[in-house]
Amino acid sequence: MKFKKIISLLLASVLMITSLAACGGSGEESSTADNSSESSAEESSGESSAEDSSSESSAEESSGEESPTMSTINALSERVSVTAELGKAPKELDQMNPLISQRYSADPTSVEYNGRVYVYSTNDDQQYLTGSDENTYRDINTLNVFSSDDMVNWIDHGYIDVKAASPRITTSWAPSIVKRVEDDGLTHFYLFYAEDGWATGVLTATDPLGPWTDPLGRAVISPAYPEVEGYMVNCFDPGAYCDEDGTIYVSCGGGVVNTEAEPMSSAIVELDDDLNIVGHPHVINAPYFFEASELNKINGKYVYTYNSNWQPRDVPVEGYTPSPTCAMEYMISDSPTGPYTYKGYYFPNPGEAGFYWGNNHTHLQEFNGKWYLFYQSRMLEQANGIEKGFRCVMAEEMTISEDCTITPKKATKTGVEQVKTQNAFDKHRAATICSQAGIMTLAKEGAESGTTVVTDIQEGDWIRVKGVDFGDGASQFTATVKGEGIIDIRLDDINSATVGSVDFNSEEEVNVVNSIDTITGVHDVFFVFGGSDWEFDSWQFS
């Protein structure tokens, strides 16, 4: 490999290690160490806008800050470039779907917190990594987490180990999250999930990234509970909503109690402050109900959504207009517990849009004054050339009128538009990804919950970050890395010439810096990787 030859010639004479140093002299041909990493951080933050330095970035940035023992080193050479064949991405550069392409993911839910939207989902990748011939879901007991402040660049926060928090469970699927401020002044997050395929469990935390604990030590809703028995045969696929007064309502259900046309098997369950069931479930007559319940409040109306079944629509139901099979449908009410009036369908099965057919599951999320639909498809496994039932999370912008009419929308590969740029001078997690080829992420040992590093790197792998704003100019790059490798920086086109690079060889995590060509304005940034099996923690321009 080209950079190994460079290393052997230059290592003894070029490598200079200085404790807690940041690189200066951005106008020089090769970088030299400054005296203080703190001064570098102050300089870069001074170039950031006020909104970019607000508290919402602390959750993903705090764990990436330098430790007291971390060193800053110069790159081993002035400029290197990766010459290996580039990896093939599972999605094209004009495609924002799926949201994450480095792991399979399904059944999305989300919550907005401090200017970021956090998405939680079933970790289909856990089943995929067992090597099973199809997605049986039986080995899944973790939930994925990823977040974004611009809807196209997503930080992969890894997964929540539900089994570790609740050892009694076997599987965890289909999460639903709500938040509320409680008497201690903290925002508490409640993450409901389908427990063992028939009940609903819950975890709680005071940060959207955890750590998560089981507040009850039991299912929150179960068909075996006296309050539920006789009302529901299954209590999975929860869809939670926290009302303005702090009351949490959970929609859930599955199976058939009555007929396929009128299953009478979904319901709304009210919980008290201690997450105990209030009264009995309020059963909903949702036509052709199958699964994937969700509850929202939009324009003063309670909106209940669900996935309809695969049965022919040949049995009339009062007030029901026949819809496509396995579509997402909705009903509205003036009360969270009903009665609900059927309105129609808003999202046909992704199979109607040319993707593989499969069960439907969506979540509506308001963010920055717009409504978005998170949903699942099998687009990623199609791109990867398999057909085993592994799913991925996608997003579309939705139109909802004042009377809560939802304009139907089909699944697309294009997805949504970027809602803001990324500040090049902020410190970013390396797992901030719009698209990628070949990489994976791994929880960072000893770091805060939800902190990951990019790993499983092979020669020619790459990451793209969309819409990075360099303002009046950046001429230096710092990467926090561990191992032996190269990061080659390219702009707007992955096949374009390098504008800068860092190469490194360290058994410990270090900050490595180098001068780069001056970059101004807004660009897509491609980090192209050389070497293999090293870790990429974070990056920053200055």
Side-chain angles (χ1 to χ4, degrees):
M1 203 159 34
K2 179 179 178 181
F3 74 89
K4 287 186 176 179
K5 296 179 181 178
I6 297 172
I7 289 169
S8 63
L9 293 172
L10 300 179
L11 181 59
S13 59
V14 178
L15 182 62
M16 297 182 293
I17 301 177
T18 58
S19 179
L20 283 176
C23 188
S26 58
E28 300 172 359
E29 290 183 357
S30 62
S31 57
T32 57
D34 203 338
N35 294 323
S36 169
S37 61
E38 293 181 1
S39 64
S40 176
E42 290 170 359
E43 291 168 6
S44 64
S45 63
E47 298 181 64
S48 303
S49 63
E51 62 267 27
D52 287 324
S53 60
S54 62
S55 61
E56 62 257 35
S57 62
S58 62
E60 67 272 14
E61 292 176 1
S62 61
S63 57
E65 295 299 323
E66 298 175 21
S67 68
T69 59
M70 187 180 296
S71 297
T72 297
I73 67 173
N74 298 310
L76 298 177
S77 63
E78 294 181 7
R79 178 70 57 85
V80 293
S81 183
V82 176
T83 58
E85 182 179 352
L86 299 177
K88 178 70 170 64
K91 65 180 186 180
E92 300 297 329
L93 296 183
D94 62 347
Q95 297 171 354
M96 299 302 105
N97 281 328
L99 305 187
I100 60 169
S101 58
Q102 61 271 23
R103 71 177 76 237
Y104 292 107
S105 197
D107 308 319
T109 185
S110 63
V111 65
E112 184 278 332
Y113 183 65
N114 284 346
R116 297 190 71 83
V117 59
Y118 292 81
V119 175
Y120 306 78
S121 63
T122 302
N123 187 6
D124 275 18
D125 214 58
Q126 187 176 11
Q127 187 69 49
Y128 174 75
L129 292 174
T130 68
S132 60
D133 290 334
E134 63 176 338
N135 189 3
T136 63
Y137 322 122
R138 66 183 59 173
D139 295 303
I140 301 175
N141 51 36
T142 58
L143 300 171
N144 291 325
V145 190
F146 40 101
S147 74
S148 177
D149 62 356
D150 67 4
M151 292 298 293
V152 298
N153 295 300
W154 294 88
I155 298 179
D156 183 347
H157 296 290
Y159 60 80
I160 300 166
D161 191 339
V162 182
K163 178 71 172 177
S166 302
R168 72 179 184 280
I169 68 114
T170 300
T171 59
S172 59
W173 313 328
S176 179
I177 190 166
V178 295
K179 64 179 181 180
R180 66 183 179 192
V181 178
E182 300 192 354
D183 292 341
D184 58 5
L186 300 175
T187 299
H188 290 249
F189 298 86
Y190 293 90
L191 183 62
F192 298 88
Y193 62 92
E195 178 178 318
D196 297 342
W198 81 309
T200 288
V202 65
L203 301 178
T204 187
T206 54
D207 186 283
L209 298 180
W212 297 91
T213 58
D214 184 339
L216 300 177
R218 59 172 175 83
V220 63
I221 306 169
S222 169
Y225 291 169
E227 305 95 323
V228 180
E229 191 174 9
Y231 289 83
M232 305 180 73
V233 293
N234 285 295
C235 302
F236 62 79
D237 280 11
Y241 171 73
C242 185
D243 218 339
E244 287 91 340
D245 64 359
T247 302
I248 294 176
Y249 298 89
V250 180
S251 59
C252 58
V256 177
V257 174
N258 186 35
T259 66
E260 295 284 2
E262 298 180 83
M264 303 294 289
S265 57
S266 62
I268 307 292
V269 179
E270 181 181 347
L271 302 178
D272 66 18
D273 290 345
D274 296 319
L275 304 179
N276 297 307
I277 297 172
V278 176
H280 298 283
H282 302 266
V283 176
I284 302 173
N285 184 12
Y288 291 91
F289 171 81
F290 184 41
E291 59 184 12
S293 293
E294 184 182 70
L295 186 62
N296 281 283
K297 193 173 186 179
I298 303 174
N299 299 334
K301 297 285 187 181
Y302 295 90
V303 181
Y304 170 70
T305 63
Y306 65 96
N307 179 203
S308 58
N309 61 31
W310 297 90
Q311 302 301 313
R313 306 302 197 249
D314 53 6
V315 177
V317 177
E318 184 178 356
Y320 172 72
T321 302
S323 64
T325 57
C326 204
M328 295 303 302
E329 322 219 9
Y330 70 112
M331 309 174 77
I332 64 171
S333 175
D334 293 322
S335 167
T337 56
Y340 280 85
T341 302
Y342 180 80
K343 287 280 288 184
Y345 79 95
Y346 62 93
F347 187 71
N349 195 282
E352 303 271 10
F355 301 100
Y356 291 156
W357 287 83
N359 290 352
N360 223 337
H361 198 119
T362 68
H363 174 78
L364 286 164
Q365 174 69 55
E366 188 175 20
F367 183 62
N368 283 352
K370 296 181 179 181
W371 281 98
Y372 293 94
L373 185 74
F374 295 111
Y375 63 97
Q376 67 187 28
S377 82
R378 297 169 62 191
M379 174 183 171
L380 183 57
E381 71 164 9
Q382 283 180 269
N384 289 336
I386 65 173
E387 190 171 355
K388 297 183 178 182
F390 294 101
R391 301 158 296 177
C392 59
V393 173
M394 319 245 282
E396 306 293 340
E397 185 178 336
M398 302 297 287
T399 300
I400 304 177
S401 67
E402 284 298 317
D403 68 352
C404 287
T405 299
I406 307 174
T407 303
K409 187 74 174 281
K410 284 188 175 182
T412 71
K413 294 180 178 180
T414 305
V416 302
E417 295 182 353
Q418 187 171 14
V419 299
K420 58 167 285 190
T421 56
Q422 296 296 305
N423 191 328
F425 305 103
D426 287 343
K427 189 171 186 178
H428 295 268
R429 300 302 310 168
T432 304
I433 301 168
C434 177
S435 52
Q436 59 79 35
I439 62 91
M440 276 301 298
T441 62
L442 183 70
K444 184 175 182 179
E445 185 176 355
E448 294 181 359
S449 178
T451 304
T452 60
V453 292
V454 173
T455 185
D456 198 28
I457 296 169
Q458 303 299 319
E459 187 92 7
D461 290 351
W462 54 268
I463 285 174
R464 170 202 184 197
V465 183
K466 182 176 173 59
V468 180
D469 190 352
F470 291 86
D472 293 333
S475 53
Q476 183 173 273
F477 177 70
T478 302
T480 303
V481 294
K482 179 181 178 181
E484 181 182 5
I486 297 172
I487 301 175
D488 182 352
I489 305 164
R490 305 178 187 184
L491 301 180
D492 301 320
D493 182 346
I494 195 168
N495 294 307
S496 63
T498 179
V499 296
S501 64
V502 291
D503 56 335
F504 43 87
N505 184 4
S506 174
E507 294 182 358
E508 302 298 326
E509 185 176 83
V510 293
N511 295 318
V512 58
V513 297
N514 206 355
S515 59
I516 60 173
D517 295 347
T518 299
I519 308 171
T520 61
V522 178
H523 300 275
D524 289 1
V525 176
F526 292 87
F527 298 117
V528 182
F529 304 134
S532 60
D533 300 322
W534 51 273
E535 294 181 359
F536 186 14
D537 176 86
S538 56
W539 56 268
Q540 185 176 29
F541 290 89
S542 56

